[in-house]
Amino acid sequence: MSQTQHKIAVVGTGYVGLTSGACLAHLGHLVTCVDVDETKIKSISSGVMPIYEEGLAELVAGGQSSGNLGFTTSLEEAVRDAEFVFLCLPTPPGADGMADISAIRLVVMQLRGLLRPGTIIVNKSTVPVNSTYMVQELINEPSVDVVSNPEFLREGSAVHDFLHPDRIVVGCTNPIAGERVGALYFGTRSPVLVTDPVSAESIKYMANAFLAMKISFVNQAAEYCDSVGADVIEVMKGLSFDPRIGQTFLNPGPGWGGSCFPKDTKALVVSATESGSPMTLIEEAINANLMHIDHITRLITRAAESSRASEPRICLLGLTFKANTDDTRESPALAIHQRLVEHFTNVVVYDPLAKVPESHIFNRVDSLVDAIRDADVVAILTEWSEFAELQPDLVASHMRGDTIIDGRYLLNKQDFAAAGLSVISIGR
Ligand code: UDX
């Protein structure tokens, strides 16, 4: 059986919208992506992606040349013939901590009167529970169904995740509309869970909260292992054989960040408290993450203070919240940098791809070797592969000091010890 081609409009070309649009076109659908940002649309149309995402540029180019993928700034043009309108709009934290859905409200108001009868609005943005019902009321057209279809795309592997999803979650009141949305993903061969809208909206929050809690657990376990003299990597390996725990998402690090976990955990805590069923575990996971970032900052500070230099040079390797993305939103590395520059005058940073906010001032260098040159302390904060490939002799010949804080557990301690360097990781 082959995929039936459908006409789809994708509103918003952020990492979720652009990835979804390009992938839906790749699956054989006729997709028009629309965004109010003219510069962005021009740039994407000419092959320059606004974000770094592996495989995305190729997919966009493929879609354009097959004629399956187009871009516009006109909402009317995009949705005119669309059978499905995907909403992939920003839902940043509002003043109360909950996701602010004003961008969604605005677009839905603009959609009124533009949709042909029977169009299905598919919401991919992460939204507070009941938003699907809210959109249904706002659009106020009986023949238009609104369906929740949360995304579970990881930055850096968003294209892969879209085309090979663990599951497709569809929340709807009209099961026929839900099934039609699930069928759009036919080519991905993934299981489809059709449920009610509030459950679908909750699945997204619970999934991210659970994963954030898992990392907080691992990082606290690393601190525990440090205190009792256990090796956290061995301990996590021992846990990973149990299928109830699973083999992935067990890597200790400098703390979790990114555009989703921090905002979604906060939003869930607020919404749970408001609903009368506080999720205290998630509040603790957030606190534990902040404390862990403090912990690793103290470790770097102590190492710098105990170096012989009067003005120690600290080299931070990595600024993005994880590898294979240029995103530094809520990155623990940024928080650590911020705190260190309050105490030290000589902090140098290197990251191969990071896009940094203009409000942060960095002494940033363009090469790894320039970064480690004359450093008294080196701290690895992102798991970029080039950091894992660091050669002990090269590092030893460029550093002034001898301490490396390996916040991502990339280096072999023995190899570096043989070159006269001390590699410190929490719980190892
Ligand atoms: C996450 C979810 O995984 C995705 O399903 C959702 O749609 C968006 O949020 P993303 O923000 O891209 O994706 O990052 P993810 O790969 O999940 O990592 C989140 C944070 O946890 C990063 O800071 C990462 O470094 C950290 N992490 C992850 C660890 O420290 N250890 C791990 O083992 C895994």
Side-chain angles (χ1 to χ4, degrees), residues 87 89 91 99-109 112 121 123 125-141 144-148 173 197-198 201:
L87 303 180
L89 294 156
T91 51
D100 173 357
I101 53 165
S102 47
I104 296 187
R105 282 178 177 279
L106 190 71
V107 167
V108 173
M109 289 305 286
R112 285 169 81 158
I121 297 180
N123 180 48
S125 310
T126 303
V127 290
V129 287
N130 289 314
S131 296
T132 308
Y133 295 134
M134 185 280 292
V135 172
Q136 186 78 65
E137 263 176 43
L138 210 58
I139 196 76
N140 193 24
E141 305 216 15
V144 171
D145 279 297
V146 182
V147 168
S148 161
T173 39
V198 176
E201 291 158 348

Side-chain angles (χ1 to χ4, degrees), residues 1-159:
M1 210 159 57
S2 70
Q3 173 94 59
T4 314
Q5 187 179 62
H6 292 285
K7 286 187 180 154
I8 300 174
V10 177
V11 188
T13 55
Y15 101 92
V16 173
L18 187 54
T19 306
S20 304
C23 289
L24 286 165
H26 180 76
L27 292 176
H29 301 297
L30 265 184
V31 181
T32 307
C33 293
V34 55
D35 200 295
V36 284
D37 186 337
E38 223 168 278
T39 325
K40 202 178 192 183
I41 288 296
K42 258 193 203 146
S43 148
I44 300 171
S45 309
S46 65
V48 180
M49 299 301 114
I51 47 160
Y52 173 79
E53 198 55 62
E54 203 174 316
L56 185 61
E58 292 79 356
L59 224 55
V60 169
Q64 284 175 307
S65 60
S66 70
N68 277 6
L69 183 61
F71 296 93
T72 178
T73 51
S74 158
L75 187 65
E76 189 173 355
E77 181 191 321
V79 305
R80 197 184 297 137
D81 300 321
E83 298 162 77
F84 299 86
V85 175
F86 277 69
L87 303 180
C88 301
L89 294 156
T91 51
D96 58 357
M98 298 265 260
D100 173 357
I101 53 165
S102 47
I104 296 187
R105 282 178 177 279
L106 190 71
V107 167
V108 173
M109 289 305 286
Q110 291 166 352
L111 287 175
R112 285 169 81 158
L114 292 183
L115 304 179
R116 64 180 210 182
T119 303
I120 299 177
I121 297 180
V122 185
N123 180 48
K124 269 215 168 295
S125 310
T126 303
V127 290
V129 287
N130 289 314
S131 296
T132 308
Y133 295 134
M134 185 280 292
V135 172
Q136 186 78 65
E137 263 176 43
L138 210 58
I139 196 76
N140 193 24
E141 305 216 15
S143 82
V144 171
D145 279 297
V146 182
V147 168
S148 161
N149 175 218
E151 53 82 17
F152 302 98
L153 309 175
R154 291 165 301 171
E155 289 187 34
S157 48
V159 169

Side-chain angles (χ1 to χ4, degrees), residues 15 151-155 204 208 211 215 219 249-253 255-261 321-322 332 383 408:
Y15 101 92
E151 53 82 17
F152 302 98
L153 309 175
R154 291 165 301 171
E155 289 187 34
K204 169 67 193 220
N208 274 355
L211 292 170
I215 302 305
N219 288 338
F249 239 70
L250 283 176
N251 302 319
W256 43 266
S259 65
C260 292
F261 283 7
F321 77 99
K322 64 173 187 178
E383 71 281 26
R408 291 286 184 171

Side-chain angles (χ1 to χ4, degrees), residues 126 204-205 208-209 259-269:
T126 303
K204 169 67 193 220
Y205 280 111
N208 274 355
S259 65
C260 292
F261 283 7
K263 109 176 146 64
D264 293 352
T265 47
K266 272 186 217 141
L268 179 59
V269 164

Side-chain angles (χ1 to χ4, degrees), residues 399-419:
M399 274 184 77
R400 182 164 63 187
D402 60 6
T403 308
I404 303 174
I405 311 288
D406 183 2
R408 291 286 184 171
Y409 304 75
L410 303 177
L411 308 180
N412 181 306
K413 274 190 171 200
Q414 281 76 32
D415 293 352
F416 278 78

Side-chain angles (χ1 to χ4, degrees), residues 214 236-237 239-250:
K214 195 171 179 185
M236 289 307 139
K237 199 193 229 172
L239 260 61
S240 71
F241 291 98
D242 185 333
R244 292 170 303 174
I245 295 174
Q247 295 184 340
T248 53
F249 239 70
L250 283 176

